[in-house]
């Protein structure tokens, strides 16, 4: 069974600083995808970034990058130059490429950006 | 991309009643999922909605409590039956687009049960 672990319930960061949100995963699948989502207080799930298990390069999307270390089974999200609007819940998730294709989520990290 | 219309966006319900949530997609999808997010918690998969057949439920969720329909490739409903305050949650529809394999979420339905 797949499992996602986020060990940081809450993070507090000064505006303009970089922040790393931790995510480790466990799976017996060879082919899988890793996702990060942002959830503001409105409740919608905002897709941030995706990393495929066979991708050799770390994914980047603007201020977001994913530090993918396959041997260590970690997929940490790095947000550079944090902004007040980055304050939200952040979820790491994993999805099988074949089969059920459902997303399995970690517990989430609440990020607060201080001015 | 896909545009997902999820209704209602929010509702306040009385204990013992049932509410049906709709999820409509503007493109053909292969998979449709329903998630629950209890207050302060992560997302938990309720079931996979299968077209023309019974949904596949995850451990801890049963059809009598959460009946699901999926009559075609672009529409599904989730009913929360005989609600109690513990059912107060955000319920989210998620789809996998047939053409691209990408996964999208609806905006969620925030239910409060009094």
């Amino acid at each position: 069974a797949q499992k996602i672990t986020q060990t940081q319930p809450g993070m507090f960061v000064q505006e303009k600083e970089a922040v790393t949100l931790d995510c480790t995963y466990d799976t017996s699948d060879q082919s899988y995808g890793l996702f990060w989502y942002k959830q503001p207080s409105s409740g919608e799930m905002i897709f941030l970034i995706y990393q495929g298990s066979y991708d050799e390069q770390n994914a980047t999307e603007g201020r977001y990058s994913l530090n993918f270390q396959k041997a260590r089974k970690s997929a940490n999200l790095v947000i550079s130059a944090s902004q007040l609007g980055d304050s939200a819940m952040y979820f790491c998730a994993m999805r099988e490429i074949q089969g059920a294709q459902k997303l399995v989520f970690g517990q989430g990290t609440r990020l607060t950006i201080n001015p | 991309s896909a545009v997902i219309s999820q209704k209602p966006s929010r509702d306040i319900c009385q204990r013992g009643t049932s509410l049906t949530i709709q999820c409509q997609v503007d493109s053909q999808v292969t998979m449709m999922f329903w998630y629950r997010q209890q207050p302060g918690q992560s997302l938990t998969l309720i079931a996979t909605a299968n077209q023309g057949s019974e949904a596949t439920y995850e451990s801890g969720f049963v059809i009598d409590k959460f009946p699901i329909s999926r009559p075609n490739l672009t529409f599904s409903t989730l009913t929360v039956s005989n609600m109690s305050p513990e059912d107060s949650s955000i319920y989210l529809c998620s789809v996998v687009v047939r053409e691209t394999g990408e996964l999208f979420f609806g905006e969620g339905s925030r239910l409060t049960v009094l």
Side-chain angles (χ1 to χ4, degrees):
Chain A
Q2 298 176 325
K3 185 177 181 181
I4 298 286
T5 302
Q6 295 178 253
T7 58
Q8 304 155 311
M11 290 277 287
F12 296 84
V13 175
Q14 286 298 119
E15 190 179 8
K16 299 182 184 178
E17 289 184 352
V19 56
T20 298
L21 304 183
D22 295 340
C23 174
T24 58
Y25 62 92
D26 190 21
T27 181
S28 57
D29 294 334
Q30 296 300 311
S31 182
Y32 51 89
L34 296 158
F35 298 76
W36 278 92
Y37 286 88
K38 173 184 179 181
Q39 188 181 43
S41 56
S42 60
E44 62 185 305
M45 296 294 285
I46 301 171
F47 167 75
L48 296 178
I49 197 166
Y50 168 81
Q51 179 85 41
S53 58
Y54 291 114
D55 293 341
E56 295 184 354
Q57 301 282 342
N58 283 346
T60 60
E61 290 285 349
R63 293 188 299 113
Y64 305 107
S65 61
L66 199 152
N67 184 1
F68 181 46
Q69 299 188 41
K70 192 171 183 177
R72 299 178 63 179
K73 294 188 174 180
S74 74
N76 298 340
L77 176 70
V78 180
I79 305 174
S80 63
S82 58
Q83 303 170 357
L84 295 178
D86 293 333
S87 295
M89 282 292 291
Y90 287 80
F91 292 99
C92 179
M94 168 186 285
R95 175 188 170 201
E96 301 168 357
I97 301 299
Q98 304 295 331
Q101 298 187 49
K102 59 188 177 184
L103 271 177
V104 176
F105 286 86
Q107 306 94 315
T109 296
R110 180 170 295 283
L111 177 63
T112 302
I113 307 299
N114 296 316
Chain B
S1 65
V3 176
I4 304 173
S5 172
Q6 192 174 333
K7 296 179 181 178
S9 58
R10 59 177 63 233
D11 207 340
I12 299 174
C13 307
Q14 295 299 317
R15 182 196 300 259
T17 63
S18 299
L19 182 78
T20 296
I21 303 167
Q22 298 181 356
C23 178
Q24 176 74 56
V25 193
D26 69 343
S27 52
Q28 289 196 347
V29 301
T30 54
M31 315 288 284
M32 296 185 81
F33 305 101
W34 287 99
Y35 287 85
R36 180 178 74 179
Q37 187 180 25
Q38 295 176 300
Q41 303 295 314
S42 184
L43 282 75
T44 301
L45 182 65
I46 297 172
T48 303
N50 300 311
Q51 185 196 356
S53 64
E54 189 173 295
T56 304
Y57 289 85
E58 298 296 307
S59 176
F61 297 95
V62 295
I63 187 171
D64 289 348
K65 177 66 177 177
F66 298 101
I68 288 170
S69 77
R70 187 182 172 191
N72 57 51
L73 287 174
T74 62
F75 183 78
S76 178
T77 67
L78 167 73
T79 299
V80 186
S81 302
N82 188 24
M83 288 185 284
S84 67
E86 291 70 35
D87 294 319
S88 296
S89 298
I90 300 174
Y91 293 86
L92 294 117
C93 168
S94 175
V95 305
V96 177
V97 175
R98 175 181 293 274
E99 188 172 337
T100 63
E102 292 177 279
L103 187 146
F104 297 92
F105 279 91
E107 293 186 348
S109 299
R110 190 184 295 266
L111 301 188
T112 301
V113 184
L114 302 177

